[in-house]
mmCIF file of all heavy atoms in Angstrom:
data_model
loop_
_atom_site.group_PDB
_atom_site.id
_atom_site.type_symbol
_atom_site.label_atom_id
_atom_site.label_comp_id
_atom_site.label_asym_id
_atom_site.label_seq_id
_atom_site.Cartn_x
_atom_site.Cartn_y
_atom_site.Cartn_z
ATOM 1 N N SER W 62 254.572 66.242 13.402
ATOM 2 C CA SER W 62 255.206 66.095 12.088
ATOM 3 C C SER W 62 256.038 64.829 12.004
ATOM 4 O O SER W 62 256.075 64.173 10.958
ATOM 5 C CB SER W 62 256.095 67.304 11.798
ATOM 6 O OG SER W 62 255.334 68.466 11.731
ATOM 7 N N THR W 63 256.706 64.487 13.088
ATOM 8 C CA THR W 63 257.501 63.258 13.104
ATOM 9 C C THR W 63 256.612 62.046 12.873
ATOM 10 O O THR W 63 256.937 61.158 12.086
ATOM 11 C CB THR W 63 258.254 63.114 14.444
ATOM 12 O OG1 THR W 63 259.134 64.229 14.600
ATOM 13 C CG2 THR W 63 259.053 61.828 14.501
ATOM 14 N N LEU W 64 255.469 62.036 13.544
ATOM 15 C CA LEU W 64 254.555 60.909 13.400
ATOM 16 C C LEU W 64 253.915 60.863 12.010
ATOM 17 O O LEU W 64 253.608 59.785 11.503
ATOM 18 C CB LEU W 64 253.489 60.957 14.488
ATOM 19 C CG LEU W 64 254.034 60.804 15.918
ATOM 20 C CD1 LEU W 64 252.917 61.011 16.936
ATOM 21 C CD2 LEU W 64 254.721 59.470 16.103
ATOM 22 N N LEU W 65 253.754 62.018 11.386
ATOM 23 C CA LEU W 65 253.156 62.060 10.050
ATOM 24 C C LEU W 65 254.155 61.727 8.936
ATOM 25 O O LEU W 65 253.782 61.111 7.941
ATOM 26 C CB LEU W 65 252.553 63.442 9.786
ATOM 27 C CG LEU W 65 251.294 63.775 10.558
ATOM 28 C CD1 LEU W 65 250.886 65.221 10.298
ATOM 29 C CD2 LEU W 65 250.165 62.831 10.183
ATOM 30 N N ILE W 66 255.400 62.125 9.100
ATOM 31 C CA ILE W 66 256.360 61.980 8.004
ATOM 32 C C ILE W 66 257.171 60.692 8.069
ATOM 33 O O ILE W 66 257.881 60.344 7.138
ATOM 34 C CB ILE W 66 257.290 63.212 7.947
ATOM 35 C CG1 ILE W 66 257.844 63.374 6.546
ATOM 36 C CG2 ILE W 66 258.402 63.114 8.975
ATOM 37 C CD1 ILE W 66 258.381 64.716 6.243
ATOM 38 N N ARG W 67 257.060 59.955 9.136
ATOM 39 C CA ARG W 67 257.872 58.751 9.321
ATOM 40 C C ARG W 67 257.699 57.744 8.189
ATOM 41 O O ARG W 67 258.653 57.109 7.767
ATOM 42 C CB ARG W 67 257.599 58.109 10.676
ATOM 43 C CG ARG W 67 256.179 57.608 10.836
ATOM 44 C CD ARG W 67 255.916 57.079 12.235
ATOM 45 N NE ARG W 67 256.561 55.814 12.465
ATOM 46 C CZ ARG W 67 256.008 54.634 12.207
ATOM 47 N NH1 ARG W 67 254.792 54.572 11.730
ATOM 48 N NH2 ARG W 67 256.676 53.529 12.447
ATOM 49 N N ARG W 68 256.512 57.589 7.684
ATOM 50 C CA ARG W 68 256.285 56.634 6.581
ATOM 51 C C ARG W 68 256.938 57.114 5.292
ATOM 52 O O ARG W 68 257.511 56.329 4.552
ATOM 53 C CB ARG W 68 254.797 56.436 6.339
ATOM 54 C CG ARG W 68 254.182 55.525 7.339
ATOM 55 C CD ARG W 68 252.814 55.120 6.901
ATOM 56 N NE ARG W 68 252.181 54.388 7.992
ATOM 57 C CZ ARG W 68 250.896 54.246 8.103
ATOM 58 N NH1 ARG W 68 250.093 54.793 7.217
ATOM 59 N NH2 ARG W 68 250.396 53.571 9.110
ATOM 60 N N ARG W 69 256.814 58.404 5.027
ATOM 61 C CA ARG W 69 257.390 58.969 3.806
ATOM 62 C C ARG W 69 258.903 58.777 3.790
ATOM 63 O O ARG W 69 259.493 58.564 2.739
ATOM 64 C CB ARG W 69 257.058 60.443 3.701
ATOM 65 C CG ARG W 69 257.551 61.074 2.420
ATOM 66 C CD ARG W 69 257.056 62.479 2.314
ATOM 67 N NE ARG W 69 255.610 62.465 2.230
ATOM 68 C CZ ARG W 69 254.904 63.063 1.287
ATOM 69 N NH1 ARG W 69 255.531 63.711 0.335
ATOM 70 N NH2 ARG W 69 253.607 63.010 1.284
ATOM 71 N N LEU W 70 259.520 58.835 4.960
ATOM 72 C CA LEU W 70 260.971 58.668 5.051
ATOM 73 C C LEU W 70 261.379 57.217 5.282
ATOM 74 O O LEU W 70 262.559 56.908 5.345
ATOM 75 C CB LEU W 70 261.525 59.553 6.173
ATOM 76 C CG LEU W 70 261.403 61.051 5.915
ATOM 77 C CD1 LEU W 70 261.773 61.837 7.161
ATOM 78 C CD2 LEU W 70 262.254 61.477 4.739
ATOM 79 N N GLY W 71 260.406 56.327 5.433
ATOM 80 C CA GLY W 71 260.707 54.906 5.606
ATOM 81 C C GLY W 71 261.303 54.566 6.960
ATOM 82 O O GLY W 71 262.091 53.639 7.079
ATOM 83 N N TRP W 72 260.902 55.312 7.986
ATOM 84 C CA TRP W 72 261.438 55.082 9.317
ATOM 85 C C TRP W 72 260.675 53.951 10.002
ATOM 86 O O TRP W 72 259.458 53.886 9.965
ATOM 87 C CB TRP W 72 261.316 56.321 10.187
ATOM 88 C CG TRP W 72 262.221 57.434 9.795
ATOM 89 C CD1 TRP W 72 263.218 57.406 8.868
ATOM 90 C CD2 TRP W 72 262.195 58.758 10.308
ATOM 91 N NE1 TRP W 72 263.819 58.626 8.783
ATOM 92 C CE2 TRP W 72 263.214 59.472 9.660
ATOM 93 C CE3 TRP W 72 261.430 59.406 11.248
ATOM 94 C CZ2 TRP W 72 263.474 60.807 9.933
ATOM 95 C CZ3 TRP W 72 261.683 60.735 11.518
ATOM 96 C CH2 TRP W 72 262.701 61.427 10.874
ATOM 97 N N GLY W 73 261.424 53.100 10.698
ATOM 98 C CA GLY W 73 260.830 52.083 11.537
ATOM 99 C C GLY W 73 260.578 52.647 12.924
ATOM 100 O O GLY W 73 260.738 53.843 13.182
ATOM 101 N N PHE W 74 260.230 51.758 13.815
ATOM 102 C CA PHE W 74 259.942 52.158 15.199
ATOM 103 C C PHE W 74 261.160 52.794 15.867
ATOM 104 O O PHE W 74 261.046 53.810 16.550
ATOM 105 C CB PHE W 74 259.457 50.949 16.011
ATOM 106 C CG PHE W 74 259.207 51.272 17.452
ATOM 107 C CD1 PHE W 74 258.066 51.946 17.829
ATOM 108 C CD2 PHE W 74 260.127 50.905 18.426
ATOM 109 C CE1 PHE W 74 257.832 52.265 19.162
ATOM 110 C CE2 PHE W 74 259.911 51.205 19.765
ATOM 111 C CZ PHE W 74 258.754 51.890 20.130
ATOM 112 N N GLY W 75 262.342 52.201 15.668
ATOM 113 C CA GLY W 75 263.552 52.688 16.328
ATOM 114 C C GLY W 75 263.933 54.097 15.916
ATOM 115 O O GLY W 75 264.250 54.943 16.764
ATOM 116 N N THR W 76 263.892 54.379 14.629
ATOM 117 C CA THR W 76 264.254 55.718 14.148
ATOM 118 C C THR W 76 263.215 56.740 14.582
ATOM 119 O O THR W 76 263.562 57.862 14.963
ATOM 120 C CB THR W 76 264.389 55.721 12.614
ATOM 121 O OG1 THR W 76 265.360 54.740 12.253
ATOM 122 C CG2 THR W 76 264.829 57.068 12.102
ATOM 123 N N THR W 77 261.954 56.349 14.550
ATOM 124 C CA THR W 77 260.892 57.259 14.995
ATOM 125 C C THR W 77 261.055 57.572 16.475
ATOM 126 O O THR W 77 260.952 58.733 16.885
ATOM 127 C CB THR W 77 259.509 56.647 14.734
ATOM 128 O OG1 THR W 77 259.403 56.331 13.343
ATOM 129 C CG2 THR W 77 258.403 57.588 15.132
ATOM 130 N N LEU W 78 261.331 56.553 17.270
ATOM 131 C CA LEU W 78 261.539 56.764 18.702
ATOM 132 C C LEU W 78 262.753 57.655 18.943
ATOM 133 O O LEU W 78 262.714 58.556 19.788
ATOM 134 C CB LEU W 78 261.711 55.419 19.416
ATOM 135 C CG LEU W 78 261.875 55.490 20.930
ATOM 136 C CD1 LEU W 78 260.631 56.079 21.579
ATOM 137 C CD2 LEU W 78 262.164 54.108 21.483
ATOM 138 N N LEU W 79 263.830 57.434 18.197
ATOM 139 C CA LEU W 79 265.019 58.272 18.322
ATOM 140 C C LEU W 79 264.696 59.726 17.998
ATOM 141 O O LEU W 79 265.127 60.645 18.703
ATOM 142 C CB LEU W 79 266.135 57.756 17.410
ATOM 143 C CG LEU W 79 267.442 58.547 17.423
ATOM 144 C CD1 LEU W 79 268.087 58.504 18.802
ATOM 145 C CD2 LEU W 79 268.379 58.007 16.365
ATOM 146 N N ALA W 80 263.926 59.967 16.940
ATOM 147 C CA ALA W 80 263.538 61.331 16.575
ATOM 148 C C ALA W 80 262.717 61.984 17.680
ATOM 149 O O ALA W 80 262.904 63.162 17.991
ATOM 150 C CB ALA W 80 262.751 61.324 15.262
ATOM 151 N N LEU W 81 261.823 61.217 18.286
ATOM 152 C CA LEU W 81 260.991 61.760 19.363
ATOM 153 C C LEU W 81 261.805 62.050 20.617
ATOM 154 O O LEU W 81 261.605 63.066 21.276
ATOM 155 C CB LEU W 81 259.836 60.801 19.669
ATOM 156 C CG LEU W 81 258.819 60.618 18.540
ATOM 157 C CD1 LEU W 81 257.827 59.518 18.900
ATOM 158 C CD2 LEU W 81 258.112 61.910 18.227
ATOM 159 N N VAL W 82 262.732 61.170 20.936
ATOM 160 C CA VAL W 82 263.595 61.396 22.110
ATOM 161 C C VAL W 82 264.499 62.606 21.872
ATOM 162 O O VAL W 82 264.722 63.423 22.773
ATOM 163 C CB VAL W 82 264.422 60.131 22.431
ATOM 164 C CG1 VAL W 82 265.514 60.424 23.439
ATOM 165 C CG2 VAL W 82 263.504 59.027 22.936
ATOM 166 N N CYS W 83 265.003 62.738 20.656
ATOM 167 C CA CYS W 83 265.877 63.874 20.335
ATOM 168 C C CYS W 83 265.138 65.208 20.429
ATOM 169 O O CYS W 83 265.765 66.248 20.635
ATOM 170 C CB CYS W 83 266.483 63.714 18.949
ATOM 171 S SG CYS W 83 267.800 62.489 18.891
ATOM 172 N N ALA W 84 263.820 65.191 20.286
ATOM 173 C CA ALA W 84 263.046 66.423 20.428
ATOM 174 C C ALA W 84 263.008 66.902 21.873
ATOM 175 O O ALA W 84 262.763 68.079 22.129
ATOM 176 C CB ALA W 84 261.626 66.209 19.915
ATOM 177 N N VAL W 85 263.272 66.007 22.811
ATOM 178 C CA VAL W 85 263.195 66.342 24.230
ATOM 179 C C VAL W 85 264.549 66.754 24.807
ATOM 180 O O VAL W 85 264.625 67.621 25.678
ATOM 181 C CB VAL W 85 262.630 65.137 25.025
ATOM 182 C CG1 VAL W 85 262.605 65.418 26.507
ATOM 183 C CG2 VAL W 85 261.244 64.777 24.513
ATOM 184 N N VAL W 86 265.627 66.175 24.316
ATOM 185 C CA VAL W 86 266.964 66.401 24.864
ATOM 186 C C VAL W 86 267.567 67.668 24.254
ATOM 187 O O VAL W 86 267.567 67.824 23.036
ATOM 188 C CB VAL W 86 267.875 65.188 24.572
ATOM 189 C CG1 VAL W 86 269.268 65.416 25.100
ATOM 190 C CG2 VAL W 86 267.266 63.929 25.150
ATOM 191 N N PRO W 87 268.087 68.587 25.088
ATOM 192 C CA PRO W 87 268.705 69.798 24.544
ATOM 193 C C PRO W 87 269.839 69.471 23.572
ATOM 194 O O PRO W 87 270.639 68.578 23.817
ATOM 195 C CB PRO W 87 269.249 70.519 25.785
ATOM 196 C CG PRO W 87 268.450 69.983 26.918
ATOM 197 C CD PRO W 87 268.104 68.569 26.550
ATOM 198 N N LEU W 88 269.889 70.178 22.479
ATOM 199 C CA LEU W 88 270.879 70.068 21.403
ATOM 200 C C LEU W 88 270.769 68.787 20.580
ATOM 201 O O LEU W 88 271.410 68.663 19.545
ATOM 202 C CB LEU W 88 272.311 70.236 21.926
ATOM 203 C CG LEU W 88 272.599 71.547 22.641
ATOM 204 C CD1 LEU W 88 274.026 71.553 23.165
ATOM 205 C CD2 LEU W 88 272.354 72.739 21.746
ATOM 206 N N ALA W 89 269.967 67.832 20.992
ATOM 207 C CA ALA W 89 269.824 66.585 20.245
ATOM 208 C C ALA W 89 269.145 66.761 18.885
ATOM 209 O O ALA W 89 269.478 66.020 17.964
ATOM 210 C CB ALA W 89 269.081 65.549 21.081
ATOM 211 N N PRO W 90 268.230 67.728 18.708
ATOM 212 C CA PRO W 90 267.678 67.906 17.363
ATOM 213 C C PRO W 90 268.749 68.228 16.322
ATOM 214 O O PRO W 90 268.648 67.811 15.180
ATOM 215 C CB PRO W 90 266.691 69.070 17.510
ATOM 216 C CG PRO W 90 266.277 69.020 18.927
ATOM 217 C CD PRO W 90 267.507 68.558 19.679
ATOM 218 N N PHE W 91 269.789 68.945 16.721
ATOM 219 C CA PHE W 91 270.879 69.263 15.796
ATOM 220 C C PHE W 91 271.658 68.000 15.433
ATOM 221 O O PHE W 91 272.038 67.805 14.286
ATOM 222 C CB PHE W 91 271.816 70.309 16.395
ATOM 223 C CG PHE W 91 271.118 71.591 16.733
ATOM 224 C CD1 PHE W 91 271.001 72.005 18.045
ATOM 225 C CD2 PHE W 91 270.565 72.379 15.736
ATOM 226 C CE1 PHE W 91 270.358 73.185 18.358
ATOM 227 C CE2 PHE W 91 269.911 73.557 16.039
ATOM 228 C CZ PHE W 91 269.809 73.966 17.357
ATOM 229 N N TRP W 92 271.899 67.149 16.418
ATOM 230 C CA TRP W 92 272.600 65.891 16.170
ATOM 231 C C TRP W 92 271.772 64.997 15.241
ATOM 232 O O TRP W 92 272.296 64.417 14.298
ATOM 233 C CB TRP W 92 272.879 65.173 17.498
ATOM 234 C CG TRP W 92 273.433 63.801 17.318
ATOM 235 C CD1 TRP W 92 274.729 63.481 17.069
ATOM 236 C CD2 TRP W 92 272.699 62.572 17.335
ATOM 237 N NE1 TRP W 92 274.849 62.109 16.938
ATOM 238 C CE2 TRP W 92 273.621 61.537 17.102
ATOM 239 C CE3 TRP W 92 271.364 62.261 17.532
ATOM 240 C CZ2 TRP W 92 273.234 60.206 17.062
ATOM 241 C CZ3 TRP W 92 270.983 60.932 17.486
ATOM 242 C CH2 TRP W 92 271.916 59.923 17.259
ATOM 243 N N PHE W 93 270.472 64.895 15.515
ATOM 244 C CA PHE W 93 269.592 64.063 14.694
ATOM 245 C C PHE W 93 269.532 64.603 13.268
ATOM 246 O O PHE W 93 269.596 63.840 12.307
ATOM 247 C CB PHE W 93 268.190 63.996 15.304
ATOM 248 C CG PHE W 93 267.265 63.094 14.560
ATOM 249 C CD1 PHE W 93 267.370 61.719 14.699
ATOM 250 C CD2 PHE W 93 266.306 63.609 13.708
ATOM 251 C CE1 PHE W 93 266.514 60.864 14.004
ATOM 252 C CE2 PHE W 93 265.449 62.769 13.010
ATOM 253 C CZ PHE W 93 265.566 61.395 13.161
ATOM 254 N N HIS W 94 269.406 65.913 13.136
ATOM 255 C CA HIS W 94 269.364 66.545 11.817
ATOM 256 C C HIS W 94 270.648 66.253 11.045
ATOM 257 O O HIS W 94 270.614 65.926 9.863
ATOM 258 C CB HIS W 94 269.156 68.045 11.971
ATOM 259 C CG HIS W 94 269.020 68.771 10.682
ATOM 260 N ND1 HIS W 94 270.086 69.295 10.012
ATOM 261 C CD2 HIS W 94 267.927 69.045 9.939
ATOM 262 C CE1 HIS W 94 269.663 69.867 8.902
ATOM 263 N NE2 HIS W 94 268.362 69.737 8.837
ATOM 264 N N HIS W 95 271.781 66.350 11.722
ATOM 265 C CA HIS W 95 273.072 66.075 11.077
ATOM 266 C C HIS W 95 273.174 64.602 10.677
ATOM 267 O O HIS W 95 273.639 64.275 9.590
ATOM 268 C CB HIS W 95 274.218 66.455 12.007
ATOM 269 C CG HIS W 95 275.566 66.152 11.460
ATOM 270 N ND1 HIS W 95 276.127 66.890 10.447
ATOM 271 C CD2 HIS W 95 276.456 65.179 11.755
ATOM 272 C CE1 HIS W 95 277.321 66.383 10.145
ATOM 273 N NE2 HIS W 95 277.534 65.350 10.936
ATOM 274 N N ARG W 96 272.730 63.729 11.566
ATOM 275 C CA ARG W 96 272.816 62.290 11.305
ATOM 276 C C ARG W 96 271.938 61.862 10.125
ATOM 277 O O ARG W 96 272.303 60.984 9.344
ATOM 278 C CB ARG W 96 272.405 61.531 12.559
ATOM 279 C CG ARG W 96 272.477 60.046 12.384
ATOM 280 C CD ARG W 96 272.254 59.326 13.684
ATOM 281 N NE ARG W 96 272.353 57.897 13.434
ATOM 282 C CZ ARG W 96 271.652 56.991 14.059
ATOM 283 N NH1 ARG W 96 270.828 57.343 15.004
ATOM 284 N NH2 ARG W 96 271.806 55.724 13.776
ATOM 285 N N LYS W 97 270.779 62.471 9.971
ATOM 286 C CA LYS W 97 269.813 62.101 8.936
ATOM 287 C C LYS W 97 269.837 63.051 7.733
ATOM 288 O O LYS W 97 269.000 62.946 6.845
ATOM 289 C CB LYS W 97 268.401 62.083 9.520
ATOM 290 C CG LYS W 97 268.170 60.981 10.507
ATOM 291 C CD LYS W 97 268.207 59.659 9.790
ATOM 292 C CE LYS W 97 267.888 58.496 10.683
ATOM 293 N NZ LYS W 97 267.990 57.239 9.956
ATOM 294 N N ARG W 98 270.803 63.950 7.672
ATOM 295 C CA ARG W 98 270.836 64.966 6.622
ATOM 296 C C ARG W 98 270.815 64.362 5.222
ATOM 297 O O ARG W 98 270.057 64.805 4.359
ATOM 298 C CB ARG W 98 272.068 65.849 6.792
ATOM 299 C CG ARG W 98 272.109 67.010 5.834
ATOM 300 C CD ARG W 98 273.284 67.926 6.155
ATOM 301 N NE ARG W 98 273.265 69.075 5.298
ATOM 302 C CZ ARG W 98 273.830 69.124 4.096
ATOM 303 N NH1 ARG W 98 274.445 68.067 3.623
ATOM 304 N NH2 ARG W 98 273.768 70.222 3.364
#
Side-chain angles (χ1 to χ4, degrees):
S62 297
T63 299
L64 296 174
L65 289 175
I66 204 161
R67 64 185 287 271
R68 282 192 188 159
R69 183 174 296 233
L70 294 171
W72 290 352
F74 177 77
T76 303
T77 304
L78 183 63
L79 179 63
L81 295 173
V82 168
C83 285
V85 177
V86 179
L88 302 177
F91 301 114
W92 173 81
F93 184 77
H94 183 270
H95 177 73
R96 181 172 181 214
K97 292 292 184 182
R98 186 174 184 273

